Amino acid sequence: MKMEDIAKLAGVSKSAVSFALSGKPGISNETRERVLEIARENGYTPKPKLSANEGSVKSLTFLVFTNSGIVLEAYYQQPFFRELIHFIEERCRVKGYSLLFSTINMAYFEQEIRVFSEENQSDGVILLGTNLTSVDILDIANRLGPRLVVLDNCFDTLPVHFVGINNRMGAYQAGAHLCKLGHREIGYIASNVHLQNFEERKEGFQEALKAYDIQIKPEHFFSVAPTMLSSQDDLKAQIKSYLDTDRNLPTALFCECDYIAISAMKTLTELGIRIPEDVSVIGFDNITESQIISPELTTIHVEKQRMAQVAVDLVIESIEVELEITSKIRVDTRFVERRSSHK
C-alpha cells in the first residue's frame, strides 16, 4: 500500500497523509486519527529517510501539477507527455542520474508543495510547466530554489530556467504553408483552456496570415476541449450552427494541438465533410497518433527529445556548477506535411 492509497481510503490529499504519518501540524486531530487507523489496518510502513551514504545516489525529480489545464491525473498516458518523459528518462540514464516522479494535485497546491519542498531529497527538479501560470511558477521557484528547470513553458520576465517550444515559429510555419497552398478562407480551432503555449501559437499563426494579407474572420474561430482524441459534440454543434446559416466552412483549419486536430477530423468526418478535399487540417506537436489517423495529419513537429536533453543538462549544470544566471531556451520546430492538407 502507498500513501496515495491511504489518501483515497481516507478521502484526503496525499499531503494530509504525509502530515499525519510524520506528526506534523496542519490537519485536524480527527483526520490524523483516521489516516493512522487506516495505515495500521493495512500494515502500511513509511519509507525510512535515506542515510547520508544512501543519499549519495544522484537523482532528479520530475514534478507535475495535475488536474489543471490539459495536464490530467494520468498525464503519463497522454501522448505528448508520454514521449517527453521517455526522453527525459533516457537522458538521465546517460548522465548517471536516476529519475523520480512526484505529482501534486492543484486542488491541494499549498499543502502539497510545502510537503514536497520539505521532503524532496533529489538533487534537482524538472518542473512540467505546461499548465502553470507565471504566478504559479514564481511561487514554486521561490520554494524549491535554483536547482530547478521549468519544461514546456517560458515566461521571459521570471528569473527561472526555462526550456520551451518555439511556438510562434511552428504556428508561423503552419500559417505560411496554408497561404502558399492558396487558401484564403482559413479557420482556427482553439483550446477552451487557456495556456501560454497556445497563446504563442495563435500569435505566430496570425502573424503568418498577416504577411499574406489574410485575416481570420470572427465567425471562423471555434473552440473545443484540448484533451480528447474522439469527436466532440460541442464542436459538432458549433459547425452545424455555422452551416445552418448557409455559409461555407473555411477551406483550411489550424488547430492549436494534435489532440484538437484529430478530434476535429473525426467530428468533421461524422458530418460528412471530407479531409482534405473539403477542408485541410493542420495540428501541432506531432504526437504518434498523428500518423495513425486517416488521412495522416499535417502538423508541427516538436523536438521533444531535444527539449528533454536540454532540460536534464541544464538542471545538472545548475547542480554541479551552481549557476547564478538563469536561461531561457526555446527549441525550434519542424513542419511535417502529410495528407490532411492540400490546395
Side-chain angles (χ1 to χ4, degrees):
M1 169 166 282
K2 298 188 243 183
M3 284 177 59
E4 291 89 342
D5 301 319
I6 296 175
K8 287 178 183 176
L9 289 172
V12 298
S13 70
K14 191 170 76 170
S15 61
V17 174
S18 178
F19 286 145
L21 296 175
S22 63
K24 293 179 182 176
I27 57 174
S28 67
N29 290 332
E30 181 183 352
T31 298
R32 188 184 308 280
E33 289 173 7
R34 185 164 74 253
V35 168
L36 292 175
E37 183 178 352
I38 291 172
R40 283 193 299 269
E41 287 176 352
N42 290 276
Y44 175 80
T45 304
K47 291 181 180 177
K49 295 264 187 183
L50 293 176
S51 67
N53 290 335
E54 291 171 323
S56 63
V57 177
K58 297 184 293 185
S59 66
L60 302 180
T61 294
F62 186 66
L63 177 61
V64 182
F65 288 76
T66 62
N67 296 327
S68 170
I70 67 172
V71 184
L72 307 177
E73 186 173 357
Y75 69 90
Y76 45 84
Q77 294 178 354
Q78 294 176 253
F80 181 89
F81 302 128
R82 184 179 64 228
E83 293 175 39
L84 200 56
I85 290 167
H86 166 73
F87 291 124
I88 292 171
E89 288 181 311
E90 198 173 66
R91 189 62 172 179
C92 283
R93 281 195 296 271
V94 169
K95 291 292 184 175
Y97 279 74
S98 62
L99 184 65
L100 310 174
F101 293 86
S102 189
T103 303
I104 290 177
N105 190 318
M106 285 296 285
Y108 306 104
F109 180 96
E110 187 61 36
Q111 278 187 330
E112 295 196 358
I113 188 60
R114 179 152 42 98
V115 171
F116 177 81
S117 61
E118 291 174 357
E119 298 187 351
N120 175 47
Q121 296 182 49
S122 65
D123 298 279
V125 175
I126 296 175
L127 170 66
L128 183 66
T130 311
N131 57 329
L132 300 177
T133 66
S134 59
V135 174
D136 294 331
I137 291 172
L138 185 58
D139 185 8
I140 296 165
N142 287 336
R143 295 169 189 260
L144 301 185
R147 296 179 175 184
L148 169 73
V149 171
V150 180
L151 182 60
D152 195 33
N153 206 338
C154 187
F155 292 99
D156 291 328
T157 58
L158 298 186
V160 179
H161 293 298
F162 285 96
V163 177
I165 304 165
N166 191 340
N167 291 294
R168 287 184 179 85
M169 175 184 181
Y172 190 98
Q173 291 169 325
H177 172 73
L178 291 176
C179 293
K180 288 174 183 176
L181 288 178
H183 293 283
R184 292 296 176 265
E185 295 291 318
I186 298 174
Y188 192 98
I189 306 185
S191 160
N192 59 16
V193 176
H194 171 83
L195 290 178
Q196 176 75 5
N197 283 336
F198 293 162
E199 288 299 311
E200 293 175 359
R201 292 173 192 181
K202 186 176 182 180
E203 291 168 5
F205 188 74
Q206 290 181 316
E207 185 180 344
L209 268 57
K210 185 178 179 181
Y212 287 83
D213 198 27
I214 297 172
Q215 284 190 329
I216 304 173
K217 296 176 181 177
E219 63 268 27
H220 289 167
F221 282 95
F222 305 92
S223 68
V224 294
T227 55
M228 295 176 62
L229 287 171
S230 58
S231 64
Q232 296 192 44
D233 290 338
D234 183 36
L235 179 59
K236 191 176 293 185
Q238 292 177 55
I239 293 173
K240 279 184 176 179
S241 176
Y242 179 90
L243 293 174
D244 285 344
T245 60
D246 293 325
R247 294 176 292 183
N248 293 321
L249 279 175
T251 61
L253 292 167
F254 173 70
C255 304
E256 286 185 332
C257 66
D258 284 353
Y259 262 91
I260 292 175
I262 292 170
S263 177
M265 288 171 67
K266 291 181 177 179
T267 302
L268 291 167
T269 300
E270 289 180 6
L271 289 171
I273 299 167
R274 300 170 301 166
I275 300 164
E277 292 82 1
D278 300 325
V279 179
S280 289
V281 177
I282 295 183
F284 200 116
D285 286 334
N286 197 26
I287 61 176
T288 303
E289 285 75 2
S290 65
Q291 297 181 67
I292 298 173
I293 187 76
S294 181
E296 292 183 355
L297 178 64
T298 297
T299 187
I300 304 301
H301 177 70
V302 173
E303 297 286 349
K304 306 173 196 71
Q305 183 172 13
R306 179 62 180 159
M307 288 174 64
Q309 290 175 347
V310 172
V312 171
D313 291 357
L314 186 55
V315 74
I316 291 175
E317 188 179 6
S318 298
I319 295 164
E320 298 180 352
V321 183
E322 297 186 359
L323 298 175
E324 293 184 8
I325 302 299
T326 55
S327 301
K328 311 287 184 289
I329 301 171
R330 286 184 172 89
V331 178
D332 286 349
T333 58
R334 175 167 51 85
F335 181 75
V336 179
E337 184 175 6
R338 299 196 182 105
R339 295 176 54 224
S340 69
S341 64
H342 79 164
K343 295 180 183 180

